[in-house]
Amino acid sequence: MLKFFIDRGGTFTDIVAIIDRPEIIERLARDAARFLIVPLADQQWIVLYKLLSENPEKYPDAVIQGIKDISGSLDNIEVIKMGTTVATNALLERKGERTVLLITKGFKDALRIGYQNRPDIFARQIILPSLLYEQVIEVAERYDSQGQELIAVNPAQVKADLIPVYQAGIRSCAIVFMHSYRYPDHEKQVAAIAKEIGFTHLAISHQVSPLMKLVSRGDTTVVSAYLSPILRRYVDSISQQLPKTSLLFMKSDGGLVTADKFQGKDSILSGPAGGIVGAVQTSLRAGFSKIISFDMGGTSTDVSHFQGEYERQTDNEIAGVRMRAPMLSIHTVAAGGGSILVYDGYRFRVGPESAGANPGPACYRRGGPLTITDANVLLGKIQAAYFPAIFGQEGNLPLDREIVLTKFQELAARMGGNNSPELLAAGFIQIAVENMANAIKKISLQKGYDLSDYTLCTFGGAGGQVACLIADTLGMKSIFLHPYAGVLSAYGMGLADLRIIKEKAIEQPLNADLIGQLLPEMNELEVLAGRELEDYNQVRQQVSLKYQGSDATLAVNFSDQMRQDFEQEHQRRYGFKQEQKALIVESIAVELIQTMDSPQEAILTRTRPMKELPPLLDRVAVFMANQWRETPIYQRSDLQPFDCLAGPAIIIEKISTIVIEPGWMAKLTEKNHLILSKD
């Protein structure tokens, strides 16, 4: 048995493998510096592995290379579950497919005009994001809102307009017509013509986003046309090398989907969604039900809130592009281990620019700039001697602390005064901590949640380095660190289930008659979704409600208590409710879930006497709380159940470093869960 769970991030590609072949484990054990091997029951092992996402000198694709490094070949692999940033990067860098937009005549500039939102109200120069489509064709067609055909499609004219676009080399079409979410016949006619001409990818709005609002439906359709071909080529390249392997991808809504159904609009938060699933499922196993997930990677930090069920949002804006598709509610801030430290002569700034994987931080030996990672190296919170030696031209050198010290000394000299390098590094880290704490406040305190009884589930390669600082800033008293926290996004792929969500626009007042009409609508959506996911064993039905005259919708479960549930959530979210005001059902949604086998976790037993501490690995000087402190270092693999460590301390893992600040206490459980607490 070979199962791989993979998260291809912007800086690192994380891999978790489930293996039952002793010969592979024997080979990997000879290279213990690169692979972390955890034994399970029934002659199975979990292998954790991390490699750079971009290393063109050594391999063309990190996913394929990582699989080969572990298994030795691409044969006999049962399943691969993965998240990828391919489409996300294409969107950020505007390197998607050349696309033509076909839209109802008279609405040529509707998507460019958008909603006239001004995020920066005082900006004197408005810089609009670049459009994803290259050309626009206006189609003379029209239905009214009641379904009456006002203008029929002229096939000859549509064909005449499309042929020059095709000859110009454009192969992707986005088709968006007025009221097509209810009356799609015109879109179907035009799609058939485009397919006949030879366009290879068609994104049709009534299929991509069957909801009202032309702009958001149109934007989502354009995103699909722009990204899906890029994503399809990448997925096909993986599939061709793994023809006998079940290949599943993580969607932005937290569910897995088969490779042939993976679309561009569903892949934007593919990697972060795996982290949310991993954080929630492992936290539930540890006994925590109120969770703030904190995923700090190399490029950015993702935070989310969980209290009983996954929070999703339908209207999203990413990289200046509006999308209307179900996505896990994740707030991202450009502060990661690779965030560049800048002093502009007046102030310190962290990010949003990142050093990425190439050249990476200064300590990576590729001539990179100073970053958060470098600051932690200087302060002693990251010890080069206990960090993977994967740097340099041969990929076998440790982190370079000397160049980091030199760069900070140069910065201190440029600033003048009595600024020491360690105070500068600590100041930069404090700025990053404030930025990340503010992101958590937006998804919790600003929505009416009290963080004092929540647990901070920390993961990502850099999360353990600042977890205590984040919790202190927010007044949180509990931190949970899973043994696979450094690769939890990848592990989350293995804990996820297959999910399909289907939606339909309603836009009618909520009353007893409508409730009776919604049930057959729900059944119809279930049948439609069941064609894509036959072996489902759970069904969730939701309704998006809003007050009449309002545009703020809240999703509640479909039941006889919908109004009460909506008003309770509205009161908590916004601080008021309007009991006399009519409710509007904007849309309905049905989610089908096929639960999948998930990896079990190892159970540890204690062999040392209860009062005996774990073996000390080292003692080093670490700059914490504005002074150098002698700090013990422990290996996580040496910890046993019920071990307690008081801060300051550092716990070293092969895939991450955990810093226990003064005043915090760390305790290990039988499930190898590390719980940090503060009185």
Side-chain angles (χ1 to χ4, degrees), residues 288-301:
F288 301 111
S289 58
K290 292 184 176 182
I291 306 155
I292 296 294
S293 70
F294 174 71
D295 176 9
M296 184 178 178
T299 307
S300 62
T301 295

Side-chain angles (χ1 to χ4, degrees), residues 299 333-336 338-340 342 349-355:
T299 307
V333 60
S339 292
I340 296 175
V342 177
R349 181 164 53 84
V350 178
E353 299 84 4
S354 173

Side-chain angles (χ1 to χ4, degrees), residues 66-199:
I67 294 173
K68 288 180 178 178
D69 287 347
I70 292 175
S71 65
S73 72
L74 300 179
D75 300 326
N76 302 316
I77 298 173
E78 181 180 334
V79 64
I80 295 175
K81 303 177 184 179
M82 66 179 290
T84 176
T85 59
V86 169
T88 310
N89 292 341
L91 181 63
L92 293 172
E93 299 169 9
R94 295 300 193 263
K95 294 182 179 179
E97 191 80 354
R98 296 177 64 192
T99 300
V100 59
L101 169 65
L102 286 83
I103 196 166
T104 303
K105 187 173 183 179
F107 294 87
K108 178 180 180 179
D109 296 316
L111 303 190
R112 181 172 183 80
I113 295 171
Y115 296 118
Q116 291 292 286
N117 291 339
R118 294 187 63 177
D120 187 355
I121 195 69
F122 297 109
R124 299 176 64 187
Q125 182 181 4
I126 308 300
I127 301 175
L128 296 175
S130 58
L131 297 174
L132 301 186
Y133 52 86
E134 184 175 320
Q135 295 190 35
V136 183
I137 295 175
E138 292 186 281
V139 179
E141 67 78 38
R142 192 65 182 268
Y143 279 105
D144 66 14
S145 60
Q146 305 304 314
Q148 180 180 351
E149 187 179 52
L150 303 179
I151 304 174
V153 172
N154 183 340
Q157 184 61 50
V158 172
K159 191 171 185 178
D161 291 338
L162 277 174
I163 287 176
V165 175
Y166 182 83
Q167 292 173 342
I170 296 176
R171 295 293 181 270
S172 187
C173 277
I175 303 172
V176 185
F177 293 158
M178 286 288 290
H179 304 303
S180 62
Y181 66 95
R182 280 185 176 165
Y183 313 110
D185 288 349
H186 285 179
E187 285 192 348
K188 292 178 180 178
Q189 291 179 48
V190 173
I193 295 170
K195 186 175 182 180
E196 180 184 345
I197 291 173
F199 285 90

